[in-house]
Amino acid sequence: MEDKRNIPIIEWEHLDKRKFYLLGICMTMAIRVSVYPFTLIRTRLQVQKGKSLYQGTFDAFVKILRTEGAAGLYRGFLVNTFTLISGQCYVTTYELTRKYVARYSDSNAVKSLVAGGSASLVAQSITVPIDVVSQHLMMQRKGESMGRFRVRQRQAGGRLPLCGQTKDIILQIFRADGLRGFYRGYVASLLTYIPNSAVWWPFYHFYAAASCPSLASASPPPEQLSSLTPRDCPHLLLQAISGPLAAATASTLTNPMDVVRARVQVEGKSSIILTFKQLLAEEGPWGLTKGLSARIISATPSTIVIVVGYETLKKLSLRPELVDSRHW
């Protein structure tokens, strides 16, 4: 008789899908609420010319809080929450792709690279239109806009209500560029997030192996890390160290394209190459690092929650007959 407690990895077929998606949405929403202000700050830093308004991440945080209040740090948040759909599509694609690639390769690096890249491709196809609208809302400062479009004022004075602002931005994008406007920067997004997702997983395994010598020869996937005994390496500590280091590395490598992506989407530029050249001409090589610290700051807590919470999420989502199959 098979010992249920010997299941080494929680696979897709072991999960109660309804519970998995429900808990996944709750976890993702909690992450979004905590890191969204730094996403907004990163976007504003990347779009501004030089240091015309903000000197850096902390300066931007203080100025926005002082002039726009706490609500200013969450401009466009409600629209951005629709990306929860793409987040669940990412997870589903990642798991199913890993399962498919496993038929042809036992290499964890290959499975992670292909699955991460494929998941990002699917997610970005859903996310880009939402990002375009939410980023334009992020650019709406008190009394002015840092982007192409500005939310119109009510005839009787004062700003439009939240839903009215979103509708106004959507109409302006459509009138200016048609449906194509909602996919502006799509290629730049793919060139940013597919490499980011694809390299995150190999770097995660690299840092895990470097942090725990017992992993040096195998570098198992995150799901297998929980099978290590405390004497080998503390599981949660290993994840809490390896995840943020991988996120910081991937963010640093892909930040130049992320800056270009933000400018293409917010300023309405049509050429990635020309935008890249203009950025270098105006601000030099340092322009490619704009918003990097805010990006790393936002990625660190979310990565810790993801790498630690994702395994916990899968444990909580086990089918009832398999609940006793994993150690906590």
Side-chain angles (χ1 to χ4, degrees), residues 119-309:
S120 188
L121 173 62
V122 171
Q124 285 306 304
S125 297
I126 300 170
T127 299
V128 168
I130 301 170
D131 269 349
V132 169
V133 176
S134 67
Q135 284 179 152
H136 279 293
L137 289 170
M138 290 178 190
M139 295 297 103
Q140 305 301 311
R141 297 177 61 243
K142 195 171 184 178
E144 60 180 313
S145 173
M146 295 174 64
R148 293 171 68 199
F149 307 116
R150 178 178 175 180
V151 173
R152 297 186 180 93
Q153 306 295 311
R154 286 179 172 179
Q155 290 184 349
R159 295 174 68 87
L160 290 168
L162 188 61
C163 292
Q165 293 178 34
T166 303
K167 180 181 177 181
D168 190 34
I169 288 295
I170 291 174
L171 289 175
Q172 289 184 65
I173 294 172
F174 182 75
R175 288 167 184 162
D177 303 316
L179 290 175
R180 186 175 60 180
F182 296 99
Y183 272 91
R184 186 176 292 279
Y186 177 64
V187 174
S189 291
L190 294 182
L191 293 176
T192 301
Y193 292 110
I194 289 181
N196 188 86
S197 179
V199 303
W200 187 92
W201 292 100
F203 272 113
Y204 177 87
H205 302 316
F206 170 78
Y207 288 124
S211 302
C212 187
S214 64
L215 297 177
S217 60
S219 293
E223 296 89 342
Q224 288 181 329
L225 295 178
S226 57
S227 64
L228 291 172
T229 65
R231 286 178 297 179
D232 290 321
C233 205
H235 179 210
L236 295 181
L237 178 61
L238 181 65
Q239 291 184 323
I241 293 174
S242 304
L245 285 175
T249 304
S251 295
T252 301
L253 291 174
T254 60
N255 197 71
M257 184 54 68
D258 193 43
V259 177
V260 173
R261 175 200 60 80
R263 293 201 169 196
V264 167
Q265 291 181 332
V266 174
E267 296 180 350
K269 299 181 182 296
S270 57
S271 172
I272 295 174
I273 296 176
L274 290 179
T275 303
F276 181 79
K277 289 181 178 179
Q278 183 182 7
L279 178 64
L280 285 178
E282 291 177 351
E283 305 185 40
W286 285 108
L288 300 174
T289 66
K290 298 184 74 171
L292 178 59
S293 60
R295 192 176 179 203
I296 292 175
I297 290 172
S298 66
T300 298
S302 61
T303 301
I304 293 175
V305 173
I306 288 171
V307 296
V308 175

Side-chain angles (χ1 to χ4, degrees), residues 11-30:
E11 298 288 5
W12 186 246
E13 60 269 18
H14 298 148
L15 299 174
D16 178 334
K17 306 302 188 297
R18 287 181 298 179
K19 188 183 294 185
F20 177 73
Y21 283 120
L22 178 61
L23 293 174
I25 289 173
C26 293
M27 184 182 79
T28 305
M29 177 61 79

